[in-house]
Structures are given as C-alpha cells and as structure tokens.
Amino acid sequence: MTLVEIRFRLQAPLSSAQLKTLSDFSNTYGLRRFQVTEDGNVLQFEYDASRLRQTQVAHVLREARIPVSEQLT
C-alpha cells in the first residue's frame, strides 16, 4: 500500500449530506481519511496510490457530486 495525499479546491462548502457521502465511500474506493479546511475551501484526501491514480480520485469525487474544482499542489 502506497499512501498519498491529494488536495482539491472546493467550489462551495460541503453540506452535511456530502460529508456523509465522503465518509460512506472513502474506504470502498481506496480513499482513506479526508479533511476539509476550517474555511471549507479545500478538501484533502489520503488514498492508496497502488489502487488509484489521481485522475480516478477526482472522477470518484465528481461522481459523488462533491464540488471539487482544481487540484492543488
């Protein structure tokens, strides 16, 4: 297992339903713990890079209707 962190800027703060969605599917897709910054503008994820690529992480988040825009470095 190769754990990598990735950060995305959010288009809007997450609702409680979106936070629940993140917690429900996180381990299913190899996405592990996540954190939203205090101001609600950035979502940080830890994921298993041996199972997923960065583009797949972004795709899964968008499919779950998580309003990510750009990936941050």
Side-chain angles (χ1 to χ4, degrees), residues 55-69:
T55 54
Q56 291 171 306
V57 173
H59 177 76
V60 167
L61 292 172
R62 288 187 182 105
E63 287 292 308
R65 301 192 185 274
I66 305 301
V68 295
S69 59

Side-chain angles (χ1 to χ4, degrees), residues 5 9-10 21-22 25 36 44 46 48 54 59 67 71:
E5 286 189 359
R9 184 171 314 283
L10 292 169
T21 298
L22 284 174
F25 79 74
V36 179
Q44 182 172 318
E46 183 179 83
D48 181 358
Q54 290 179 354
H59 177 76
Q71 180 181 333

Side-chain angles (χ1 to χ4, degrees), residues 2 5-6 16 18 20 28 36-37 42 44 47 53 56 60-61 64-66 68 70 72:
T2 305
E5 286 189 359
I6 190 169
S16 53
Q18 290 168 320
K20 171 118 173 66
T28 304
V36 179
T37 57
V42 176
Q44 182 172 318
Y47 71 97
R53 294 181 305 222
Q56 291 171 306
V60 167
L61 292 172
R65 301 192 185 274
I66 305 301
V68 295
E70 64 182 309
L72 303 172

Side-chain angles (χ1 to χ4, degrees), residues 1 3-7 22-23 25-36 43-48 57 61:
M1 182 182 304
L3 297 179
V4 176
E5 286 189 359
I6 190 169
R7 295 176 38 206
L22 284 174
S23 64
F25 79 74
S26 60
N27 284 324
T28 304
Y29 290 100
L31 300 170
R32 297 181 41 92
R33 52 186 185 103
F34 68 92
Q35 180 178 3
V36 179
L43 172 65
Q44 182 172 318
F45 249 103
E46 183 179 83
Y47 71 97
D48 181 358
V57 173
L61 292 172

